[in-house]
Amino acid sequence: MKSLHAQHHPLADTSYQLTVLNPEQQVGQAWPAFAGKLRETGLLPLRPLGVGTLQLNVGKMCNQTCKHCHVDAGPDRTEIMTRETMELCLQALRQAPGMQVVDVTGGAPEMNPDFRWLVEQVSALGRQLIVRCNLTIIVANRKYHDLPAFYRQHGVRVVSSLPHFSAARTDAQRGEGVFERSIRALQMLNAEGYGQEGSGLVLDLVYNPSGAFLPGNQQALERDFKQRLRREHGIEFNNLLTITNLPVSRFLDYLMESGNYAAYMDKLVQSYNPAAAANVMCRSTLSVGWNGYLYDCDFNQMLELRVDAAAPQHIRDFDLGQLSARSIVLNQHCYGCTAGAGSSCGGATV
Amino acid sequence: MEKTYYNPADLAKFGNITEWQSEMGRKFFDYYGEVFKDGALTEREKSLIALAVAHAVQCPYCIDAYTTDSLQKGADEAQMMEAVHVAAAIKGGAALVHGVQMMNKAKELTM
């Protein structure tokens, strides 16, 4: 499967995605503006509560082309963060000791040639390091087989997507054979101590619904995942994080192609939860794109919605004071993070 | 547009039944909500039971609702189809077991 970008698909153009998402440009569809919902909740303008997490998207290159990918990542994507940009991120971290968490994502971040160097540098700064690993990269090539040991060495918290405990549901979303390879990778991480009681090595799994429905109760799903993965594959992990699919990029394409777009947007809007809105992750995160530009979250990044114009636009101009006072940029996809129990890179928010 | 007895949009109006009998309606929904909470059975197990019953009572609204709900609660296609087979087995069995009554009657009437 090719990325939307490689297919020259209309949705590869972010301005077209925004046209689809915005009600004033819709024909026959009128969802209330997300900003209006926040106003009713008393949260407009939406301000950061601080910048505790620096999320680095180190590139769109990936060994998988998942059907729901909001990054439109894949083997054909070449956008990659350079070491020079990584240096600027490290500089920002040195300036802001309060940014205690560095969350590295992609694509498959491990495919960035400077990935290991970045991990070593962040680890030396003593910050908590999260790597969003798609699992299959560990078994994709011999040169990645030592990743579990490398992660252990640097105390990395590994956060990995596994859409379901059944092969059919997982492969439907992430590609044929992904489940079997993911299980092998999880066993390798377990063998290194990840997810094992008392090891201190955290392995979290991410559950995205494999279709046009919201995630169920996070605790109940975690219990089911633990039971099934332990019984059938001897796998242990720490937490299951449920994440709602946002109508962005390839998931938006899936919704439109399958005729589920209107019903899904209805569902997101109907499920708006003010408590979830108060806890959205953009209030504590700053997201850096592969080319150093700054965003409120990874979804805004993929829609090319940079941070508010009054704040620094690029990591080279990092200024914690200005960034902490910014207004968070909103659009209709934000309904995805405020539906039901809420959604964030850390799972449910309420 | 072709008119049918069932309109999928009516599912979202289910709550409106309280308009004409609020007390009983409210009691029903309170009970309904209580039944589907995690208990001795998990929410996922209850959703699969509801999916099976939906097929047994042949309620299109319930089939739509509990297909979505089962997926949302983490069930997969194999589990959902097994639930439907449970409904089919009970419905089929219920018809067949009455065959004994038919046999009894036939034996009573024949030489």
Side-chain angles (χ1 to χ4, degrees):
Chain A
M1 187 172 128
K2 283 182 178 176
S3 66
L4 297 177
H5 178 79
Q7 291 173 45
H8 305 289
H9 192 288
L11 284 174
D13 176 355
T14 54
S15 60
Y16 179 64
Q17 286 191 54
L18 290 168
T19 306
V20 172
L21 285 169
N22 281 278
E24 67 274 15
Q25 292 162 35
Q26 291 284 326
V27 181
Q29 295 292 348
W31 293 286
F34 180 76
K37 280 274 184 189
L38 273 193
R39 188 180 296 115
E40 288 168 19
T41 316
L43 285 167
L44 197 72
L46 189 65
R47 303 276 188 202
L49 299 166
V51 186
T53 299
L54 189 67
Q55 188 168 60
L56 309 179
N57 192 311
V58 298
K60 298 187 180 186
M61 195 180 283
C62 192
N63 59 318
Q64 292 183 181
T65 38
C66 303
K67 278 187 190 161
H68 72 307
C69 184
H70 69 281
V71 180
D72 193 27
D76 55 61
R77 300 305 298 260
T78 53
E79 300 92 329
I80 211 92
M81 186 182 276
T82 61
R83 190 178 285 209
E84 188 191 3
T85 305
M86 289 177 183
E87 293 268 20
L88 295 171
C89 296
L90 293 165
Q91 230 172 66
L93 283 167
R94 285 186 204 101
Q95 278 177 48
M99 289 198 301
Q100 274 299 311
V101 181
V102 179
D103 187 347
V104 183
T105 187
E110 298 91 342
M111 292 178 84
N112 182 313
D114 290 311
F115 168 75
R116 293 190 193 222
W117 176 84
L118 175 70
V119 168
E120 284 159 4
Q121 300 301 309
V122 174
S123 170
L125 288 176
R127 308 298 165 91
Q128 189 197 335
L129 190 55
I130 298 171
V131 173
R132 297 193 180 262
C133 169
N134 73 11
L135 294 174
T136 61
I137 192 70
I138 294 174
V139 294
N141 184 305
R142 194 185 298 270
K143 69 180 177 179
Y144 298 122
H145 287 0
D146 67 333
L147 277 170
F150 176 74
Y151 289 146
R152 178 182 50 75
Q153 197 186 336
H154 294 284
V156 169
R157 177 177 157 202
V158 177
V159 179
S160 294
S161 282
L162 189 72
H164 206 269
F165 47 71
S166 84
R169 287 281 86 220
T170 298
D171 289 358
Q173 184 187 93
R174 295 175 82 78
E176 199 58 35
V178 165
F179 182 76
E180 188 263 327
R181 294 199 295 277
S182 301
I183 293 296
R184 261 194 290 147
L186 283 169
Q187 288 164 339
M188 287 166 75
L189 284 159
N190 275 177
E192 207 58 52
Y194 270 97
Q196 309 287 1
E197 213 180 316
S199 71
L201 296 169
V202 179
L203 169 62
D204 291 339
L205 296 184
V206 171
Y207 167 90
N208 284 98
S210 44
F213 51 94
L214 299 182
N217 178 279
Q218 184 168 269
Q219 277 180 312
L221 282 166
E222 181 181 293
R223 186 180 56 205
D224 288 341
F225 266 69
K226 284 194 168 171
Q227 206 176 50
R228 292 286 295 265
L229 291 177
R230 183 179 296 140
R231 192 175 72 205
E232 291 168 21
H233 307 284
I235 285 166
E236 303 290 337
F237 68 94
N238 296 94
N239 310 293
L240 184 80
L241 315 175
T242 55
I243 299 186
T244 303
N245 288 309
L246 266 62
V248 173
S249 193
R250 287 218 283 270
F251 189 67
L252 179 57
D253 178 43
Y254 156 75
L255 290 173
M256 293 175 76
E257 283 290 309
S258 62
N260 280 306
Y261 176 61
Y264 192 73
M265 285 304 291
D266 282 345
K267 185 80 186 163
L268 292 183
V269 174
Q270 282 161 13
S271 309
Y272 175 80
N273 178 354
N279 292 321
V280 280
M281 62 172 286
C282 49
R283 302 192 81 186
S284 56
T285 300
L286 182 66
S287 165
V288 188
W290 66 274
N291 51 7
Y293 283 98
L294 302 178
Y295 305 86
D296 296 304
C297 71
D298 206 48
F299 296 103
N300 276 10
Q301 186 179 140
M302 298 316 148
L303 287 167
E304 295 182 73
L305 297 169
R306 287 187 198 161
V307 287
D308 183 62
Q313 299 289 291
H314 196 275
I315 192 70
R316 77 170 79 87
D317 305 313
F318 180 80
D319 181 314
L320 185 63
Q322 283 180 24
L323 286 162
S324 301
R326 76 192 194 273
S327 290
I328 291 164
V329 175
L330 308 166
N331 213 291
Q332 294 303 85
H333 63 292
C334 301
Y335 275 115
C337 286
T338 57
S343 181
S344 74
C345 286
T349 56
V350 289
Chain B
M1 199 177 102
E2 192 187 344
K3 287 201 172 192
T4 63
Y5 282 103
Y6 291 108
N7 178 358
D10 285 347
L11 177 57
K13 299 176 192 162
F14 188 16
N16 298 355
I17 60 150
T18 54
E19 282 175 17
W20 288 4
Q21 226 307 349
S22 63
E23 196 185 347
M24 287 183 190
R26 252 198 338 269
K27 280 184 175 170
F28 171 79
F29 283 119
D30 286 348
Y31 167 74
Y32 195 97
E34 201 60 39
V35 163
F36 281 94
K37 279 185 185 163
D38 229 4
L41 294 171
T42 65
E43 287 184 357
R44 182 164 58 92
E45 287 163 340
K46 287 180 180 182
S47 188
L48 287 166
I49 293 170
L51 183 66
V53 174
H55 283 78
V57 300
Q58 293 174 315
C59 166
Y61 300 119
C62 312
I63 293 173
D64 273 6
Y66 283 95
T67 301
T68 308
D69 195 61
S70 296
L71 286 168
Q72 198 159 309
K73 296 214 159 58
D76 65 12
E77 287 91 335
Q79 292 171 324
M80 287 157 62
M81 191 52 88
E82 279 186 28
V84 173
H85 277 290
V86 171
I90 294 296
K91 277 205 100 169
L96 279 174
V97 75
H98 285 81
V100 178
Q101 188 181 341
M102 174 272 289
M103 289 162 77
N104 288 344
K105 189 67 185 173
K107 281 173 189 168
E108 188 187 306
L109 295 174
T110 55
M111 286 188 280

